[in-house]
Amino acid sequence: MKKFYNVAILGATGAVGRTMIKVLEERDFPIDQIKLLASPRSAGQELEYYGMKYKVEPVSPEAFEDVDIALFSAGGSTSKQWAPIAVEKGAVVVDNSSAWRMDENVPLVVPEVNPEDVKWHKGIIANPNCSTIQMVVALNPIHKAKKIKRIIVSTYQAVSGAGAKAIKDLEEETRARLEGKYYYPEALPAHIAFNVIPHIDVFQDNLYTKEEMKMVNETRKIMHAPDIKISATCARVPVFNGHSESVTVETEEPITVEEARKLLSEAPGVVVEDDPFNNVYPMPIEVDGKDDVFVGRIREDLAFDNGLSMWVVADNLRKGAATNAVQIAELLIKYDLIKK
Ligand code: NAP
Ligand code: 12T
């Protein structure tokens, strides 16, 4: 087993890639050499790692030579193209896009929920969708204790989830509107300033969006629970960073609020912030920059006999993307699953 690893980040200049660099630093990930890769558009740009400047390189087959771990966050089609090449060159790929998640040869991993699934990887491990990650971290302890039969979830998703251009859309459109000017959104499907858009990713034949169906299919795969019935509504809200979710579950066994609070406060990666009479509940502004999943508003649901409702908030660029990917890379080291 090596002690230090060569790590490449594909998509290093993006919203997720930049967060990956920070998270690797903060967690003191055992890196020998780091390689920052992107498209030829931003090749030559400089990014900092531990206070040192590194030049961004254009992605190429040679760039993956001697790379042990490749963290990908450059979109689905880029991942489809480059992940097999990186694997062929000897790297293990942790991929943030939706390209490989439902592939039966690819584990889909949230370290707090199904860490052992990394062990059957064949070169690629998929990082789930941001909204799915924070939901399963909060629901897994309840599922283990009381068996979840049904999940109804509505999301309030930040613009950072849709990348650097969507962050710019919110900033510029807010300013434009306050100045009485018009702004045409570049990355989002509708106006985002002072608005809510019930549309994330593309619509499917069943009238749900792809983002909503990711929550259905990925949750079942991660939790090894093919029979859970799930219905999701995903909306974009004018928040820069941090996704919020209203989650209601129906369990096989009855569950009280006290039991749920106890299960959640003992669960790995979860912080319970639930003191409603003192205005304590999680909100995106407060979870920005944090790695945990925050849960509040825990209460018995009034629509189901064995029902529980809660409010779940996390930093989508961290636990929803970069932190989860780096935790997967840490599992690869822990279980000695790096190829060379
Ligand atoms: P972003 O801010 O738009 O950044 C995209 C990154 O990908 C940039 O570094 C860009 O490089 C690079 N890239 C684009 N096309 C490329 C190509 N043909 N070859 C090489 N590099 C290319 O987007 P982001 O928010 O960081 O998201 C990136 C990816 O992560 C997406 O796949 C997205 O689906 C995924 N993501 C996953 C989650 C999750 O739920 N886990 C959350 C957010 C995002 P240039 O600077 O050269 O353009
Ligand atoms: N469309 O990784 O727009 O599947 O917020 C994550 C976030 C896709 C993904 C978003 C998206 C993903 C978004």
Side-chain angles (χ1 to χ4, degrees):
M1 198 200 228
K2 285 197 193 180
K3 284 238 166 66
F4 293 92
Y5 301 84
N6 294 337
V7 175
I9 302 179
L10 176 58
T13 53
V16 175
R18 286 168 191 269
T19 311
M20 282 174 168
I21 299 173
K22 262 193 265 174
V23 171
L24 288 168
E25 271 179 21
E26 288 168 9
R27 299 176 78 94
D28 225 346
F29 195 88
I31 293 183
D32 182 2
Q33 291 179 45
I34 192 163
K35 230 181 233 194
L36 306 179
L37 307 174
S39 81
R41 288 183 296 272
S42 52
Q45 194 181 320
E46 286 183 324
L47 293 173
E48 275 192 25
Y49 171 68
Y50 273 118
M52 303 244 292
K53 288 201 163 73
Y54 287 79
K55 271 211 162 64
V56 175
E57 298 171 41
V59 61
S60 69
E62 298 70 43
F64 294 107
E65 219 81 68
D66 293 324
V67 168
D68 299 305
I69 301 168
L71 304 175
F72 275 38
S73 70
S77 55
T78 308
S79 174
K80 272 270 185 242
Q81 181 185 354
W82 291 100
I85 296 171
V87 170
E88 216 254 324
K89 293 284 179 188
V92 180
V93 172
V94 181
D95 182 46
N96 244 298
S97 78
S98 57
W100 303 97
R101 289 179 190 148
M102 296 313 296
D103 187 318
E104 59 184 34
N105 291 309
V106 174
L108 182 65
V109 176
V110 176
E112 291 83 350
V113 180
N114 61 334
E116 301 279 319
D117 279 338
V118 290
K119 291 181 178 170
W120 54 268
H121 87 79
K122 298 177 174 61
I124 303 174
I125 296 152
N127 197 68
N129 172 259
C130 39
S131 308
T132 308
I133 293 176
Q134 69 183 71
M135 184 172 81
V136 297
V137 169
L139 292 189
N140 192 55
I142 290 164
H143 181 58
K144 282 215 170 125
K146 305 285 178 178
K147 198 155 191 295
I148 293 174
K149 284 164 55 178
R150 202 186 299 276
I151 303 170
I152 298 171
V153 54
S154 298
T155 70
Y156 305 67
Q157 296 184 218
V159 293
S160 61
K165 280 190 187 148
I167 298 172
K168 181 173 163 263
D169 275 349
L170 175 58
E171 194 173 319
E172 308 251 308
E173 189 177 26
T174 304
R175 189 175 296 119
R177 261 188 202 261
L178 289 172
E179 291 170 358
K181 293 181 189 146
Y182 184 83
Y183 175 85
Y184 190 83
E186 262 181 56
L188 297 169
H191 294 288
I192 186 65
F194 310 105
N195 202 15
V196 173
I197 309 171
H199 175 184
I200 298 182
D201 213 337
V202 294
F203 278 97
Q204 315 276 283
D205 288 343
N206 68 357
L207 305 180
Y208 284 81
T209 62
K210 193 170 163 205
E211 184 80 352
E212 290 159 353
M213 293 315 295
K214 286 176 220 163
M215 294 193 78
V216 174
N217 297 320
E218 295 180 19
T219 297
R220 290 177 175 154
K221 179 168 174 177
I222 300 160
M223 291 180 42
H224 300 166
D227 299 327
I228 296 189
K229 289 186 167 28
I230 307 170
S231 179
T233 304
C234 293
R236 185 84 62 194
V237 293
V239 166
F240 279 112
N241 193 38
H243 290 353
S244 306
E245 300 179 344
S246 160
V247 185
T248 295
V249 298
E250 184 191 18
T251 50
E252 205 123 277
E253 312 276 323
I255 180 164
T256 64
V257 169
E258 291 65 38
E259 282 177 303
R261 281 209 182 120
K262 183 160 189 295
L263 286 168
L264 286 165
S265 54
E266 289 166 356
V270 177
V271 175
V272 175
E273 278 185 355
D274 193 16
D275 186 5
F277 295 107
N278 287 304
N279 297 1
V280 173
Y281 29 71
M283 289 181 283
I285 281 184
E286 274 136 31
V287 313
D288 186 36
K290 298 185 181 156
D291 290 311
D292 289 309
V293 171
F294 294 79
V295 184
R297 297 294 321 276
I298 301 166
R299 61 210 192 276
E300 271 181 40
D301 189 77
L302 300 177
F304 293 113
D305 287 336
N306 295 335
L308 189 77
S309 286
M310 65 190 89
W311 180 249
V312 180
V313 187
D315 182 330
N316 51 293
L317 291 181
R318 282 185 171 256
K319 185 56 190 167
T323 303
N324 199 73
V326 174
Q327 286 176 308
I328 291 172
E330 289 169 350
L331 284 179
L332 290 169
I333 295 175
K334 178 176 161 192
Y335 297 143
D336 198 12
L337 297 167
I338 309 286
K339 286 193 235 162
K340 292 166 281 180

